Amino acid sequence: MPIRQPVDVVVVGAGVVGAACAYYASRSGLSVAVVDRGPVAGGTTGAGEGNLLVSDKAPGPELDLALLSLSLWRELAEELPEDIEFDPKGGLVVAAGDASLGALSASAEEQRASGVEAYHVTPDRLRDVEPHLAPGLAGGILYPQDCQVQPALAAARLLHAARRAGALFLPGEEVLEIYGEPGGGGVRGVRTSRRELAAAVVVNAAGTWGGRVAALAGVQLPVQPRRGFVLVTEPLPPLIRHKVYAAEYMADVASGSAALQTSPVVEGTPAGPVLIGASRERVGFERTLSVPVVARLAAQASALFPVLADVRVLRTYHGFRPYLPDHLPAIGPDGRMPGLFHACGHEGAGIGLALATGSLIASVISGEKPALDLAPFAPDRFDPLVPCHMTEEWAS
Amino acid sequence: MIRIRVRTTAGSGGSAPGAGRPGGSAGSAGSAGAAGAAGPADSGAGFEFSFDGLPVRALPGQSIAAALWAAGVLSWRTTRLNGRPRGAFCGIGSCYDCLASVNGAPNNRACLVPARPGDTVTTQEGNGRAWLQE
Amino acid sequence: MPGSRSEARAPAGGRAATGLAVVGAGPAGLAAAVTAADHGLDVTVVDAAAAPGGQYFRSPPEELAAVRPGAAPRGQRGFDDLLTRLTAHRATGRVRYLSGHHVWTAARTGDDWALHTVTGQAGEGGPMVLTRRILLATGAYERQLPFPGWTIPGVVGAAGAQAMLKSGLVLPGRRVVVAGSGPLLQAVAVSLVQAGARVPALVEAAGYGGYARAPRVLAANPAKLTEGLRHGAALARAGVRVMSHSAVTAVHGADRVEAVTVSRVDRDWRPVPGSGRTLVCDALAVGHGLTPQLELAVEIGCDTTVRADGSPALRLDERLRTSVGGVWAAGEPGGIGGVGLALVEGELAAHAVAAEVRGGPLRETAGRVRSLLRARRAQRAFAELMGAVHRPGPGWRDWADDDTEVCRCEEVTAGRIRTAVTELGASDARTVKLFTRAGMGWCQGRTCGFAVHELARSDSDGARAPTPDRRMPACPVLLSALAGEDTTADPEEVAGASETPGAAEPGGNGGNRLP
């Protein structure tokens, strides 16, 4: 088994989060190897819609992370090739009735206080903002900061930039072991299906499979798959300008229930097809198409945009969001094993949160003070054996 | 955007199969086993539909694509990005290259849809739904 | 057309689960359906086409046959016999036949399967078929390789030209070059000639000598040999020049085919430099064999394997069982083998289903099953030989220059695919698709899938197997038809529902169906 020269950092996972970690770490002068059992963007990144959202986040650490990440995406969009399809399209959240509009307006008010731009749209103006919306909606909130990228290409371009800065990419190699100093010391490297890689730092960016990678280092991280379906329509002219979703979506995102939740999330793409989500259910890694779920998504989307009833769905696909019980990602060093870092568990927000995550991880590895307090994201916060954390106030 | 006009001249050495009809080099087979192309115009059993404003004859039961081939027309769609002409390719409905607008509705597989008397078939440009865009 | 949800959702005919659902009414499906019905099973046949027969027994619609009586293909006695038996079983109600219905997905419901269907061009909601067992006879479509100019009008699939001729009695041109690889090309060339076209050349990338390396397989399949000789003689009579170890490497013409370049190719199908010559023609019929239609099987979870032809097919046992309990397959889904094999396997599969239903082998058909099994083994051996002889050599990739469109739907060039591989690190068809959209269009990669896989793999991968795409729905479905499957419609929850015309009515159809 070939043993490579030691590297500073091994990143496990070549999704968008792993690519971002590699990008920022190699730009800080660290030598990096990215290992993935599959190709780049082969997991949840390749199944995402590419949302960079602030609109669906309540004030708190995730919103702070999202705002930081968005500013980084805007910077990076200038540097990376155009094919990442960065589009500052804005998000529009609509409410069907006065009750949900009230709740939506109240949460927008709180978001504004945390630095989110949010503008009320009256019912008579809704169709100026989105001409094909169904009539009769009570109103909405426009979030101009919401953006979209093509997630697979964004991950590939980030990784490509990291490689140009010296990072090594080893696709098709599964990490079989993360080993440390004998007697419970720090990380010394990883053993893959093809080689041994010596490194003092290992970053777990394995997304939905992050719990399995954590287990290779002997620590627990309760990442679970939360399945979502997306419907893809035939190519259409630009009909839907924003990412449009119903107010109920926020409640679904925040819910911890394993049962199915669906709420309409509809958006166009530069290539023409409209993407329709979003469902959430915890059914393990079940891969067969669920007719009730796609039927529900179809019904909700055509209620929101009646024009879509007459178009055809060419494809459906599913992805498994990496879900952690408090809906916050695990970002930062693992107190249980020196040198082990986690950057996973972003649930449905991984594309949006990737850059802040990568940048924070690179800061900590380099010994700099991170731009945000990482305590709420402490990876060992779920471990009953780790006594005390600052996370209680956020966990409620 | 390239608009495909029905040609009135043959493509390459073949002559138009029926006088007075749009013709190219495609043609109709008289019958399996019979030599020579005999156009549907020769048959009394046919009917007419329109393609991009021009009359095309079809036999009962023929698909739109078959009738267009018989009239020498090989393309009735332009692609979304480059505006290139396309027509029937796989002939069995699996490649979706032969999408045509029929009576105003886009995305009909011409190789599967039977021609009907009085149909208005038009070259489908791109996604075929430009009217949806304000 | 079911107009209301209650109709759309009820099992077809309002009955309980059928004993066997046969998906596809080509040779394999028909043979299976009538045999299963002979055994006393309740059978439901679901077929996308208007009339039974599949691609092989394609014939002009009745109206067209009526005005062109001489045009119907010569009587296929075996097919006529199947149709007669089918008609008899339909008359007694033993067989229910749903023509014009496409199964877009199959889902488990308890011990049964629910086959969800759409009808019509647009993909409108159709009835759901509940069944205890499924027999997949979904057939195949043509395998294509891209080369410069293959998107010019007048270039058509070889099987496509055959299909258009069989059903519409038309030709793509008057002077048609036939090219690609595989025995289908001979049949196509013969048909085109008989229909009045000039076929200046049949261009075959492989060599027919490959068959000679397996004399025992040939000896066990005398009918195939006879057919090949008959076609060869017909082509010679018609003055068709057969050019083996050659390929069409370019098509010329702006908006219409004017000529093609034929190049000699080496054993790996790499063009021999300087060997290209121009052939004047006004159409090209091209294809590289067939590939099984596996969407439903893959969604159901059936294991696949890669056949000698390089394309994925279902893994089946001698009783034609897939790896999923209660699901059988016959004909092309188990590997391309042609009409004879499809008929054999369809019947065999039906005997196997009946045996399972009755709880053991059936004595009355034991002899028949033994002879069918012998026939299957011989014909499968021939199919593998045929697949190996005509399997595209890796050098075909040199035909496609960087400007050659590979994905016809999304207009993705070979150059962009190569960039995705070399620059962005894609090494499989799925990742190439994510980066370039190759395979994301209307046909969902049915046409370009094999080529994209080949362009994505590096030569060091060797013969790494293409994994079949997950591709659901199996055909386009109207959003309103999908919405019509929704049983949970709650107007309170759906934004704007109550005021929206055509949106979910309380407890009703979630989507408006357009007239």
Side-chain angles (χ1 to χ4, degrees), chain A residues 218-273:
Chain A
V219 299
Q220 274 198 328
L221 190 65
V223 185
Q224 292 178 52
R226 199 177 186 197
R227 183 171 73 171
F229 278 100
V230 175
L231 313 184
V232 186
T233 71
E234 62 183 83
L236 295 168
L239 296 180
I240 298 169
R241 300 170 179 173
H242 304 85
K243 179 189 181 75
V244 181
Y245 60 92
E248 292 76 15
Y249 175 77
M250 289 199 208
D252 284 359
V253 171
S255 162
S257 168
L260 171 68
Q261 287 119 27
T262 60
S263 45
V265 179
V266 183
E267 63 197 310
T269 59

Side-chain angles (χ1 to χ4, degrees), chain A residues 39-40 42 46 96 150 152-153 156-157 160 234 271 287-289 295-296 299 303 308-316, chain C residues 121-122 299 423 430-431 434-435 437 440 442 444 470 472 476-480 482-483 486 488 494-496 512 514:
Chain A
V40 57
Q150 208 279 26
L153 278 168
R157 287 296 180 189
H160 185 241
E234 62 183 83
R287 290 177 184 278
T288 51
L289 179 135
R296 187 99 188 89
L308 295 178
D310 178 37
V311 309
R312 276 164 276 187
V313 172
L314 300 189
R315 185 161 45 106
T316 66
Chain C
Q121 260 288 300
E299 177 61 20
E423 196 170 305
R430 179 180 180 269
T431 309
L434 284 175
F435 293 168
R437 299 192 54 77
M440 277 198 187
W442 272 99
Q444 289 291 297
R470 294 187 83 83
M472 279 291 117
V477 181
L478 266 183
L479 195 76
S480 56
L482 274 185
D486 183 29
T488 61
V494 180
N512 58 329
L514 295 169

Side-chain angles (χ1 to χ4, degrees), chain B residues 7 13-14 21 28 49 58-60 62 84 86 104 106-107 133:
Chain B
R7 295 243 196 137
R21 288 186 297 113
S28 113
F49 67 93
L59 291 170
Q62 255 181 343
R84 299 300 303 153
R86 298 283 179 82
N107 301 321
Q133 218 180 330

Side-chain angles (χ1 to χ4, degrees), chain B residues 12 25-27 29-30 33-34 45 60-62 66 72 79-82 84 86 89-90 92 94 96-97 107-109 113, chain C residues 55 61 64 67-68 121 153 155 157 160 168-174 194 254-256 281-282 405 408 410-411 442-443 476:
Chain B
S12 59
S25 53
Q62 255 181 343
T79 60
R80 267 158 50 228
L81 302 180
N82 301 320
R84 299 300 303 153
R86 298 283 179 82
F89 181 70
C90 79
I92 64 168
S94 76
Y96 293 81
D97 232 1
N107 301 321
N108 288 278
R109 282 171 284 174
V113 181
Chain C
Q55 300 308 334
L64 186 50
V67 297
R68 286 292 176 82
Q121 260 288 300
V155 180
L169 312 180
V170 289
L171 297 167
R174 317 194 120 204
Q194 285 173 347
D255 290 349
R256 200 152 194 148
C281 59
D282 59 12
E405 276 176 13
R408 299 172 68 99
E410 297 299 296
E411 300 167 77
W442 272 99
C443 91

